[in-house]
Amino acid sequence: MVVLGCEREKLLESRFFSRPFGEFWAAPKPGLTERQTRHMKSLEQHRSDIVEIGRRVYRLGYVAAYDGNISIRLEDGNILCTPSAISKGYMSEGDLVIVDADGKMVSGVRKVSSEIAMHLLIYKLRPDVHSVVHAHPPCATGYAAAGMSLNKALVAEVVMTFGCIPLAPYGTTGTPELTEAIRPFVPNYDGILLANHGVVTYGSDVYQAHAKMETVEHFARISLTTRILGKEVLLTSDDVSKLLVAREKYGITAPVKISDACPRVQPGEPEGTITLTKEELVDIIQAALERLKHHND
């Protein structure tokens, strides 16, 4: 079947979205900053946005049953968030709750999520962040369960956006252990793997936070593919430096911490290093054994 023009757009809308497709990707109104555009939204619009993102993470298979939570920091400093014990794919605007900066209930009829403290810590440490998404995307969560961070410079776009995605130590869900586990990483990273748990990402609005969750899972799949293929060709330090310069061109202002371990790059070959194929190495060893045999004779 061939779908063209507006018919294709209608198909996309009916399959994935509850509102017009173009509405989610429209550029900010001329003359307005991103912050001004965000603050123009009403509480009802923020509620609708969270419900939409809940449907997206559910349809993508990033959550199951009652997994995950989503929040938005409102202009008055309160936090609009998903409640406890509800499927993110079947929420309504009226299911959401509002808490203050300390996690105390302001309004709502449902119980607030036990993981709200993780969201509150991120908002406290990152004034630039206005939305947090926590989910359990299968491949990225697999890395977290295996105790492996996504810290290799494999994909240019990921290095430019995240630097890398570190792994926070395990902390029991809904306890101070979890918030303390992520505390060292929040100031310098926009996505964190939670050991034996899942992933948390955050951004200037709920759509950016969700996009970063998609990027983490997509990168995890790419990384897994290179491991299955048995070969990883990492970017060099020079490559990474150029990407960091390019960040400014694309207007990426989120903090990124670059160290020897994050992202890991292709080490430069020491002076005098010789690279051999397996066959060449076997030939050298066999020749050496022949010379040793003749010497002993």
Side-chain angles (χ1 to χ4, degrees):
M1 181 179 72
V2 178
V3 182
L4 299 174
C6 63
E7 292 186 4
R8 179 177 182 275
E9 185 168 302
K10 288 179 181 178
L11 177 60
L12 286 168
E13 290 172 17
S14 64
R15 185 175 180 184
F16 295 106
F17 302 106
S18 61
R19 290 187 286 153
F21 180 73
E23 185 175 328
F24 298 110
W25 304 104
K29 294 182 179 180
L32 295 178
T33 65
E34 179 185 8
R35 184 172 183 270
Q36 288 170 326
T37 302
R38 182 179 64 248
H39 286 172
M40 287 177 63
K41 286 191 174 184
S42 66
L43 177 58
E44 289 71 25
Q45 288 172 315
H46 284 309
R47 288 181 182 274
S48 180
D49 286 346
I50 286 183
V51 169
E52 173 60 33
I53 294 302
R55 289 172 180 161
R56 292 191 189 189
V57 296
Y58 180 79
R59 287 169 180 158
L60 287 168
Y62 291 179
V63 292
Y66 300 154
D67 291 353
N69 29 78
I70 306 162
S71 70
I72 292 176
R73 174 158 46 186
L74 303 173
E75 191 171 0
D76 61 6
N78 288 333
I79 311 300
L80 176 68
C81 54
T82 53
S84 177
I86 192 170
S87 168
K88 304 309 171 290
Y90 296 93
M91 295 184 300
S92 67
E93 283 83 350
D95 290 320
L96 306 182
V97 300
I98 297 177
V99 299
D100 64 17
D102 296 319
K104 296 179 181 178
M105 182 73 77
V106 173
S107 68
V109 296
R110 301 183 69 98
K111 184 179 178 182
V112 66
S113 170
S114 63
E115 293 183 324
I116 189 62
M118 176 172 63
H119 295 239
L120 298 178
L121 175 69
I122 292 169
Y123 290 130
K124 180 180 179 181
L125 298 180
R126 291 286 298 275
D128 60 308
V129 166
H130 291 271
S131 183
V132 177
V133 174
H134 166 51
H136 305 160
C139 193
T141 302
Y143 271 82
M148 300 169 64
S149 63
L150 290 167
N151 67 341
K152 295 180 180 179
L154 282 168
V155 178
E157 289 78 2
V158 175
V159 172
M160 190 160 59
T161 304
F162 286 98
C164 72
I165 301 100
L167 173 70
Y170 177 73
T172 305
T173 301
T175 73
E177 289 180 4
L178 180 59
T179 55
E180 290 307 305
I182 69 169
R183 183 184 292 273
F185 303 96
V186 173
N188 297 301
Y189 302 99
D190 284 352
I192 305 171
L193 301 185
L194 310 174
N196 304 94
H197 185 166
V199 182
V200 63
T201 57
Y202 29 95
S204 62
D205 61 39
V206 71
Y207 291 99
Q208 187 184 87
H210 171 261
K212 290 178 180 179
M213 181 66 69
E214 282 194 333
T215 300
V216 170
E217 176 66 359
H218 190 60
F219 180 45
R221 294 176 183 179
I222 293 171
S223 179
L224 179 61
T225 300
T226 64
R227 295 181 68 86
I228 292 172
L229 293 172
K231 184 175 183 180
E232 297 174 316
V233 179
L234 306 185
L235 299 174
T236 66
S237 296
D238 287 343
D239 293 330
V240 170
S241 297
K242 292 175 183 176
L243 289 171
L244 296 182
V245 173
R247 284 167 59 87
E248 298 180 7
K249 175 183 176 182
Y250 291 100
I252 302 173
T253 58
V256 57
K257 184 176 182 180
I258 301 297
S259 66
D260 291 340
C262 188
R264 283 177 54 192
V265 298
Q266 183 70 38
E269 291 187 347
E271 186 175 352
T273 296
I274 298 175
T275 302
L276 300 173
T277 66
K278 181 179 179 180
E279 291 75 13
E280 290 170 337
L281 179 60
V282 169
D283 288 343
I284 291 173
I285 293 173
Q286 288 178 339
L289 290 174
E290 287 294 329
R291 287 196 298 270
L292 180 62
K293 180 181 177 180
H294 291 313
H295 176 73
N296 291 335
D297 291 344

